[in-house]
Amino acid sequence: MITRRTLLKNAAATGVLAGTSGLAMPALAQNGPVKLGYVSPQTGPLAAFAEADKFVIDNFMTATKAAGLNFEVIVKDSQSNPNRAAEVAKELIVSDEIHLMLVASTPETTNPVTTTCEAEEVPCISTMAPWQPWFIGQQGNPGDPASWQPFNSSFHFFWGLEDVIAVFTNMWAQVETNKQVGALFPNDGDGNAWGDPNVGFPPVLAEKGYKLTDPGRYQNLTDDFSAQINAFKQANAEIITGVVIPPDFTTFWNQAKQQGFTPKVASIGKAILFPQAVEALGDSGHNLSSEVWWSPSHPFKSSLTGETSAQVAEGFSAATGRPWTQPIGFIHALFEVAVDVAKRAGDTTDPDAVVAAIAATKLDTLVGPVTWDGANLPPFAQMNVAKTPLVGGQWRLKDGGGYDLVVVDNKTAPNIPTGGQMEPIA
């Protein structure tokens, strides 16, 4: 099989265009724009992850043009569907002839795009999925660690399950509970990783003295959570956790209220990261908790614009009339890394040069330092994963309506300030 990378390497070496398998060659980047492909779930149940995409990309284009840099961003919608994500990734590689793939937002989008890039040997940078479902989920045999292999073209930056487990249990320790935990783990990349008996929540919670009630995997977009609610009631679970898509948590939480089940703590990944998801719950969203990847109080600046986290968040609200949302920081950082890589790679039509530049990245971004140095990672993931800081937050009703996300735990990242203490759900 002749991959896109082979063709690009041949062209970079000979200065001529090689044509085979219908894969047309792009112009040399120095004679045209650096082409960035970007895939995210702009529609479907995961669309909240992409709410800030247009704002970030518009600002990126303005900033790079002002700096005399020539970039083109070709955006594709995964429609929250893994098959669609793979299709549009192939389109970007074959038809749009991109130099670098960027992809974000949950394993349902990041994994199929990364897999496609690996097959075509096209450089890829991804974010906004815990590293375990991203890395382990793409291995031929996820259940056999001895078989896991590093990727050749693909790199990822975000936090891991070890970080979210630490953050959640640190928050729970601030509230007096019976340590009975109910789990909502769907049958998808995140749910299977979070509920994994080896690398997920179960072994760590057991070690910390928590008893986990896991009713088993359910299908996304479920309309009846009675079985889960009954299991949690029977176990007298005072803590609920899980990694749930936004519409499913709305269904679960409303049904739990209707059936008289209100835990003291509900720390939920994915579903309640976004203001609109919590606002959809009305007053019952008060004191729900989640991981916090990025906020206006994060003490970091953009390498591209020099703006602080607070300034970028304010800019989003001013431009859209909507509250800031966590993906702003990571999408911004994804494009920061792309600019830094393109500058250092030299000829971005040479995939090997781009991959080498990604691997050598040491960049302070809006979400903190991004460097693939292997720090705080097991050996098998050190080549491909860079970790970013994580803290815990709780949604609080504001006087006059709406919610604030208050950072209540920073033990895993003390440089990110807290704004309050964890409170039980009334």
Side-chain angles (χ1 to χ4, degrees):
M1 172 182 169
I2 300 178
T3 66
R4 171 82 189 287
R5 185 169 181 171
T6 300
L7 294 174
L8 291 175
K9 286 168 65 176
N10 289 343
T14 64
V16 300
L17 301 184
T20 185
S21 303
L23 298 180
M25 294 295 300
L28 291 178
Q30 54 263 43
N31 296 326
V34 177
K35 287 190 174 184
L36 305 177
Y38 175 62
V39 184
S40 69
Q42 292 141 45
T43 58
L46 300 173
F49 281 90
E51 180 187 2
D53 283 3
K54 185 179 186 304
F55 168 79
V56 173
I57 293 170
D58 286 350
N59 285 353
F60 168 80
M61 294 304 296
T62 299
T64 51
K65 286 179 181 177
L69 302 173
N70 191 8
F71 282 88
E72 178 182 355
V73 181
I74 306 167
V75 179
K76 299 286 187 179
D77 178 11
S78 73
Q79 301 174 0
S80 302
N81 182 303
N83 293 331
R84 175 66 180 171
E87 290 172 8
V88 297
K90 189 76 170 182
E91 289 174 9
L92 287 166
I93 293 167
V94 175
S95 301
D96 297 302
E97 302 168 342
I98 61 167
H99 302 117
L100 172 62
M101 183 77 78
L102 307 177
V103 57
S105 303
T106 82
E108 282 62 54
T109 295
T110 60
N111 289 19
V113 172
T114 299
T115 298
T116 302
C117 288
E118 281 294 298
E120 291 292 338
E121 298 183 315
V122 170
C124 178
I125 307 172
S126 59
T127 191
M128 293 207 310
W131 72 259
Q132 285 94 338
W134 176 81
F135 185 93
I136 298 172
Q138 294 184 82
Q139 298 296 325
N141 185 355
D144 179 15
S147 71
W148 297 346
Q149 297 293 324
F151 304 131
N152 295 314
S153 305
S154 303
F155 299 81
H156 187 76
F157 67 96
F158 208 52
W159 42 266
L161 297 183
E162 68 279 16
D163 303 304
V164 74
I165 294 170
V167 164
F168 279 12
T169 54
N170 287 342
M171 289 195 292
W172 301 347
Q174 297 182 39
V175 177
E176 185 176 343
T177 70
N178 61 5
K179 290 196 167 186
Q180 298 288 326
V181 182
L184 289 169
F185 297 142
N187 186 24
D188 62 15
D190 273 331
N192 291 326
W194 286 46
D196 188 274
N198 299 309
V199 302
F201 272 66
V204 184
L205 293 191
E207 182 181 329
K208 291 178 176 289
Y210 292 91
K211 184 175 180 181
L212 187 69
T213 297
D214 181 357
R217 305 298 159 262
Y218 63 89
Q219 296 304 313
N220 284 324
L221 299 177
T222 292
D223 59 8
D224 185 0
F225 283 92
S226 296
Q228 289 84 357
I229 293 167
N230 288 333
F232 301 156
K233 290 169 89 172
Q234 290 176 9
N236 192 26
E238 293 185 343
I239 301 169
I240 299 299
T241 194
V243 56
V244 186
I245 63 175
D248 281 358
F249 184 73
T250 299
T251 300
F252 167 81
W253 198 238
N254 287 336
Q255 291 179 358
K257 293 289 185 179
Q258 292 164 5
Q259 296 177 37
F261 175 63
T262 302
K264 290 184 177 181
V265 175
S267 299
I268 305 296
K270 190 183 289 186
I272 55 171
L273 296 167
F274 315 107
Q276 67 268 39
V278 182
E279 289 167 359
L281 298 170
D283 291 352
S284 67
H286 183 60
N287 280 343
L288 293 175
S289 50
S290 73
E291 74 276 23
V292 180
W293 338 319
W294 180 82
S295 76
S297 63
H298 276 51
F300 308 124
K301 292 183 178 181
S302 166
S303 64
L304 184 60
T305 67
E307 294 173 292
T308 65
S309 293
Q311 288 171 328
V312 172
E314 289 167 4
F316 175 80
S317 295
T320 65
R322 299 193 297 272
W324 66 269
T325 183
Q326 294 195 48
I328 296 170
F330 275 85
I331 302 305
H332 186 104
L334 188 61
F335 282 90
E336 286 183 73
V337 175
V339 171
D340 179 66
V341 166
K343 287 179 177 178
R344 290 183 291 103
D347 181 3
T348 54
T349 64
D350 180 356
D352 286 344
V354 176
V355 167
I358 298 171
T361 297
K362 292 184 179 180
L363 185 67
D364 291 331
T365 75
L366 197 65
V367 299
V370 174
T371 177
W372 280 273
D373 61 1
N376 302 312
L377 287 159
F380 59 79
Q382 289 178 357
M383 287 179 59
N384 302 109
V385 175
K387 293 230 296 182
T388 54
L390 188 70
V391 293
Q394 196 167 32
W395 290 99
R396 302 275 166 75
L397 275 169
K398 297 188 292 186
D399 292 337
Y403 281 89
D404 277 330
L405 181 58
V406 178
V407 175
V408 295
D409 171 72
N410 68 348
K411 287 184 179 178
T412 53
N415 58 328
I416 299 169
T418 60
Q421 293 291 313
M422 186 78 166
E423 298 176 358
I425 297 170

